[in-house]
Amino acid sequence: MVCHKHFTEEDYVTTSAIGENCKNKILKSGAVPSQFRWTKTSSPAVIVRCDRAKQKERSNNFSPAIFLHQSIDACDLGAEVEVSKPKVEYQFLLVLMKLRQRKCNYELALMFGIEEKAVYNIFVTWVRFMALQWREIDLWPSKDLVHFYSPEDFFDKFPDTRVVLDGTECPVNKPKQPVTQQATFSKYKNRNTVKKVVGSTPGGLVSHVSPAYGGSVSDRHIIERSDIPKMCNPGDSIMADKGFEVQDLFAPHDVTVNIPTFFKTTNRLSGKAVLSDRKIASKRVHIERIIGLGKTYKILTSPLGHAETQLTSDIIFICFMLCNFHSCIVPSTS
């Protein structure tokens, strides 16, 4: 549901087209909400008050940070905020800065000359928009494309590999509810986290990002709730860490799981098993490299707040989609 205030009069069907007796307005096909707090045009009185506030700032030679802390009339300060209208490219830059550098809303408000609430609204709007748009793309490439872009050595040793999987965790602030605390507490990280499974092709394309789950969930549970077994073709293989005990989930689809050897009845591996594990480890490191690239977005390495936790799935998905814009993540000779 979207409020009617976010649309202009031109977005609605004219009265003559729907009849004068119709009380409800009908949106045109393709109408997009465009009216937000940061897009409204200020009145002449607001602009005058803003100019007066700026003149006072220049006369006292105040810095922007000090200026916002002075005992200025609230209307004047509000006028300066209302007149600020970041362009679309500036809004996108704001979101990228928050994702990459983990800048707080107050700092971004000073940099872009807007209110803190506007920073939050812009961030949430763009995160939801980018996530919804990018999820429309079919990220799962065909088998022929996977083979074409697969590195030479990778294809020689594991020619049937369709995806390389690994789990990753991002810290979150400790929730207030005991049930939520238990659901998000990770024994591996010894703190509250959210967990995702990320998959990439042998060539380094991020082709799968699962929804975010509480840190207490195992990798197997995430795979059980995904469609990866159905997305693979018969005869394919996947590569993962030894924590992914999912052979029984892929076996009905005739998909092989390549994971390092487990110690079961003996504490010593055979020479053949050691060589096999080395081959898998040398190729599985690519997904760890991609996850490390995703963690260069500092928002994934510092604890997420309550408001950001609600967008965890979208935030992590966007950060890894941005990784796909990098060139030569995995060299062709790997």
Side-chain angles (χ1 to χ4, degrees):
M1 302 293 291
V2 181
C3 178
H4 68 92
K5 295 181 180 179
H6 295 295
F7 297 90
T8 61
E9 291 298 329
E10 291 75 13
D11 294 329
Y12 294 98
V13 179
T14 59
T15 306
S16 59
I18 60 176
E20 298 181 354
N21 296 329
C22 183
K23 298 181 180 180
N24 297 327
K25 292 185 177 181
I26 300 177
L27 287 172
K28 295 180 180 179
S29 177
V32 178
S34 59
Q35 301 301 306
F36 299 95
R37 180 185 180 90
W38 57 86
T39 61
K40 294 181 180 178
T41 305
S42 301
S43 63
V46 171
I47 297 177
V48 171
R49 290 198 299 270
C50 177
D51 293 338
R52 186 170 67 248
K54 290 182 178 180
Q55 291 177 2
K56 186 174 182 180
E57 176 189 2
R58 288 194 295 267
S59 62
N60 292 314
N61 194 23
F62 285 157
S63 65
I66 299 177
F67 173 68
L68 291 179
H69 287 85
Q70 301 303 316
S71 56
I72 300 175
D73 182 22
C75 294
D76 290 346
L77 182 58
E80 185 179 19
V81 172
E82 290 178 11
V83 78
S84 301
K85 298 181 295 181
K87 297 181 180 179
V88 174
E89 58 267 27
Y90 295 156
Q91 296 176 21
F92 184 55
L93 175 62
L94 182 150
V95 175
L96 293 180
M97 291 176 65
K98 188 170 180 65
L99 293 173
R100 187 75 168 190
Q101 301 178 349
R102 191 65 170 95
K103 292 185 178 295
C104 64
N105 292 346
Y106 178 74
E107 182 178 1
L108 291 171
L110 291 180
M111 296 177 65
F112 288 86
I114 57 178
E115 196 178 11
E116 280 191 68
K117 292 182 179 179
V119 173
Y120 174 77
N121 291 336
I122 292 173
F123 179 73
V124 172
T125 302
W126 272 88
V127 166
R128 291 295 300 141
F129 171 75
M130 287 191 291
L132 291 173
Q133 289 295 311
W134 281 339
R135 285 196 173 98
E136 294 292 328
I137 303 173
D138 185 8
L139 298 173
W140 191 260
S142 64
K143 190 172 183 177
D144 292 336
L145 282 176
V146 173
H147 288 172
F148 183 81
Y149 289 103
S150 180
E152 297 176 2
D153 191 58
F154 200 121
F155 185 76
D156 291 339
K157 295 179 179 178
F158 302 97
D160 297 325
T161 301
R162 191 71 179 272
V163 66
V164 186
L165 299 174
D166 199 7
T168 182
E169 298 184 53
C170 300
V172 296
N173 289 331
K174 186 177 181 180
K176 295 182 179 180
Q177 298 295 332
V179 177
T180 311
Q181 292 179 19
Q182 184 179 4
T184 58
F185 186 79
S186 171
K187 295 181 179 179
Y188 179 71
K189 296 291 185 180
N190 196 29
R191 64 167 304 157
N192 297 95
T193 65
V194 292
K195 179 181 290 187
K196 275 199 170 193
V197 169
V198 180
S200 76
T201 64
L205 174 72
V206 178
S207 58
H208 176 77
V209 182
S210 73
Y213 294 87
S216 63
V217 175
S218 66
D219 296 328
R220 177 185 172 86
H221 289 163
I222 298 178
I223 297 298
E224 286 178 345
R225 290 163 175 79
S226 71
D227 294 328
I228 294 181
K230 299 179 182 178
M231 295 163 65
C232 294
N233 296 335
D236 287 345
S237 66
I238 69 165
M239 187 175 292
D241 195 10
K242 58 184 177 182
F244 285 79
E245 283 290 331
V246 293
Q247 291 88 337
D248 57 317
L249 301 179
F250 287 89
H253 302 275
D254 193 20
V255 177
T256 307
V257 180
N258 291 321
I259 61 174
T261 308
F262 267 105
F263 289 109
K264 295 181 179 180
T265 58
T266 178
N267 59 355
R268 181 177 298 179
L269 294 176
S270 64
K272 184 178 180 181
V274 171
L275 292 176
S276 176
D277 289 354
R278 286 180 179 177
K279 289 181 181 179
I280 295 175
S282 65
K283 304 308 174 187
R284 200 187 63 81
V285 72
H286 297 329
I287 185 63
E288 297 179 357
R289 186 181 304 170
I290 293 172
I291 291 176
L293 181 62
K295 293 292 183 70
T296 58
Y297 293 89
K298 294 182 180 179
I299 196 170
L300 302 183
T301 58
S302 56
L304 298 173
H306 174 69
E308 295 167 340
T309 304
Q310 298 177 357
L311 298 170
T312 302
S313 293
D314 293 337
I315 291 174
I316 301 178
F317 176 75
I318 290 171
C319 291
F320 281 103
M321 288 302 100
L322 290 172
C323 293
N324 282 339
F325 289 91
H326 287 258
S327 59
C328 193
I329 299 177
V330 179
S332 59
T333 56
S334 297

